[in-house]
Amino acid sequence: MLEAECTRLKKAKDAAVPELVEAQSWAKSMVEAVEARTQEVELARDWLVTVALNVLWATPLVVEGSSLVSIDGVVQQLEKMPVAHGTELQETMKLASCHALAIVKSLYPQVEVNAICDGFAADCDEATAIKYVNEA
């Protein structure tokens, strides 16, 4: 009876060992996958920190020398940036238009630049633009 029990236990051990080896192999592959994912997340975090620092340096908060930068202050500054960028683009557009008109006036002196400047503003609608074109 003891010999039968020993045989049964040995068979159970022999069956359990491959299962344990397989479980160990699976656990090892899972650990490697988690380590690889952790490294990817750390790289993404480092990239995000770099981008955030670049944004912060572009805002007046850091330029003013404030050692304590609040999230609300950063959000307020970021909300102002599109308007400031739009204003800068509008100024650039006006400057480019002035240069274009100067070139037109130098090539075609008979063109009335004042009429063009008064009529073709950035907020001029299409109907008004057509009116000015027809008058010219």
Side-chain angles (χ1 to χ4, degrees):
M1 178 121 169
L2 189 57
E3 191 173 302
E5 186 63 23
C6 284
T7 304
R8 186 184 70 75
L9 288 173
K10 185 175 186 226
K11 285 181 183 178
K13 176 189 147 205
D14 291 343
V17 167
E19 288 177 14
L20 288 173
V21 169
E22 183 179 336
Q24 182 183 19
S25 174
W26 178 81
K28 185 177 180 181
S29 68
M30 291 302 292
V31 167
E32 289 171 354
V34 167
E35 286 174 347
R37 183 67 181 142
T38 301
Q39 187 177 17
E40 290 174 13
V41 169
E42 287 173 350
L43 288 172
R45 181 204 60 210
D46 292 344
W47 178 80
L48 181 62
V49 166
T50 302
V51 169
L53 287 174
N54 288 335
V55 168
L56 285 175
W57 282 111
T59 64
L61 290 173
V62 178
V63 175
E64 293 171 0
S66 174
S67 60
L68 297 174
V69 178
S70 71
I71 297 298
D72 292 335
V74 171
V75 169
Q76 289 173 354
Q77 290 299 322
L78 290 176
E79 287 173 346
K80 291 178 186 177
M81 288 182 96
V83 174
H85 183 63
T87 303
E88 186 177 321
L89 286 177
Q90 195 172 31
E91 291 299 319
T92 303
M93 180 185 65
K94 286 179 185 178
L95 182 62
S97 298
C98 289
H99 285 152
L101 288 173
I103 291 170
V104 167
K105 186 64 176 173
S106 69
L107 294 174
Y108 304 100
Q110 70 275 13
V111 173
E112 293 183 33
V113 176
N114 290 338
I116 294 173
C117 291
D118 292 339
F120 288 108
D123 55 350
C124 181
D125 63 349
E126 187 176 347
T128 308
I130 291 173
K131 181 182 112 181
Y132 285 122
V133 167
N134 290 333
E135 287 177 5

